[in-house]
Amino acid sequence: SYALTQPPSVSVSPGQTASISCSGDDLSNKYVSWYQQKPGQSPVLVIYQDDKRPSGIPERFSGSNSGNTATLTISGTQALDEADYYCQAWDRRAVIFGGGTQLTVL
Amino acid sequence: EVHLVESGGGLVQPGGSLRLSCAASGFTFSTYWMTWVRQAPGKGLEWVANIKQDGSEENYVDSVKGRFTISRDNAKNSLYLQMNSLRAEDTAVYYCVRGGAGWAAAGTSRYYYYYMDVWGKGTTVTVSS
């Protein structure tokens, strides 16, 4: 079955750029979405169809997808961006989630 | 405002059954795919099942096939998850989620997309004796 792989954790300093990767076989042939989940809260969609931002999501969130890797980029990272981030794709009539990446802003 | 409110969670013994419900409001329920996603304590997100707008297509993760059934009542703006033969590993928070799906062009190709843009607060299911 198809699998998406994310690094367990990423650290970034406030104001810097955070990049979270998501890898899978021929991932560029699929559309990738990204979700942010803060402790005790429901996930929130931050990127869909590789690089589209839902209304209300700050412009500092962007996405890309090329080759076998999709990337969520957070520019000018703020303390409130500290959260778990999950990538997601669709494969053979199934929703696939990555294992999640804990973003620490320190 | 768009809302999804889950109910029906609780404590159940292994082998037991539970029916989750999700009440939708603020959007035209019958025009969206709907999804159940779960999250075990301290773990990541796991897709459970989804259902097409008219109920004509259902998809399930392998671990729940034959035990769980997703359904919907568009007249009542409601989504359901019937869970039978419950196991300890089904213990999780279950989220009701609105899906966005379709085909889109990328270069000279077309790819299917499925994303989840509205999430409920979840209902907790605990399977334990």
Side-chain angles (χ1 to χ4, degrees):
Chain A
S1 60
Y2 195 81
L4 295 173
T5 302
Q6 299 180 236
S9 62
V10 168
S11 297
V12 63
S13 300
Q16 298 304 302
T17 296
S19 295
I20 300 174
S21 63
C22 172
S23 62
D25 288 343
D26 292 326
L27 189 54
S28 60
N29 291 336
K30 304 181 188 303
Y31 279 113
V32 175
S33 302
W34 290 91
Y35 304 86
Q36 176 195 69
Q37 186 180 33
K38 296 180 180 180
Q41 298 184 19
S42 302
V44 172
L45 177 70
V46 295
I47 293 289
Y48 67 101
Q49 286 182 244
D50 291 345
D51 57 9
K52 295 179 170 56
R53 270 181 297 105
S55 61
I57 300 302
E59 290 185 8
R60 64 178 181 275
F61 287 87
S62 63
S64 63
N65 186 6
S66 179
N68 294 323
T69 304
T71 303
L72 173 68
T73 302
I74 309 173
S75 304
T77 306
Q78 301 180 11
L80 56 83
D81 298 327
E82 188 164 282
D84 293 329
Y85 290 85
Y86 296 89
C87 61
Q88 173 258 313
W90 174 265
D91 179 75
R92 301 186 186 189
R93 298 176 65 178
V95 172
I96 310 296
F97 282 107
T101 298
Q102 183 177 55
L103 177 67
T104 301
V105 182
L106 43 66
Chain B
E1 190 175 353
V2 176
H3 275 301
L4 296 170
V5 180
E6 304 91 339
S7 60
L11 174 64
V12 61
Q13 292 188 338
S17 297
L18 215 52
R19 189 193 195 209
L20 305 184
S21 299
C22 170
S25 61
F27 65 99
T28 306
F29 180 75
S30 61
T31 64
Y32 287 87
W33 278 81
M34 294 299 296
T35 316
W36 287 100
V37 173
R38 68 185 178 184
Q39 187 169 35
K43 302 296 184 182
L45 302 175
E46 181 183 35
W47 168 72
V48 175
N50 63 358
I51 186 168
K52 198 174 180 179
Q53 291 92 330
D54 61 359
S56 61
E57 180 178 334
E58 303 165 22
N59 301 300
Y60 300 90
V61 67
D62 286 347
S63 61
V64 309
K65 283 180 181 175
R67 300 190 299 124
F68 290 11
T69 303
I70 189 172
S71 63
R72 64 191 297 161
D73 185 336
N74 287 342
K76 295 183 177 179
N77 292 336
S78 293
L79 177 71
Y80 307 100
L81 186 67
Q82 178 66 44
M83 304 186 295
N84 298 330
S85 303
L86 283 161
R87 306 167 180 168
E89 54 265 37
D90 296 318
T91 294
V93 174
Y94 284 73
Y95 295 101
C96 169
V97 195
R98 188 176 81 173
W103 292 92
T108 58
S109 301
R110 291 173 72 239
Y111 301 110
Y112 192 78
Y113 62 84
Y114 193 98
Y115 60 84
M116 293 159 283
D117 64 344
V118 178
W119 295 65
K121 294 189 182 303
T123 187
T124 300
V125 173
T126 303
V127 184
S128 174
S129 55

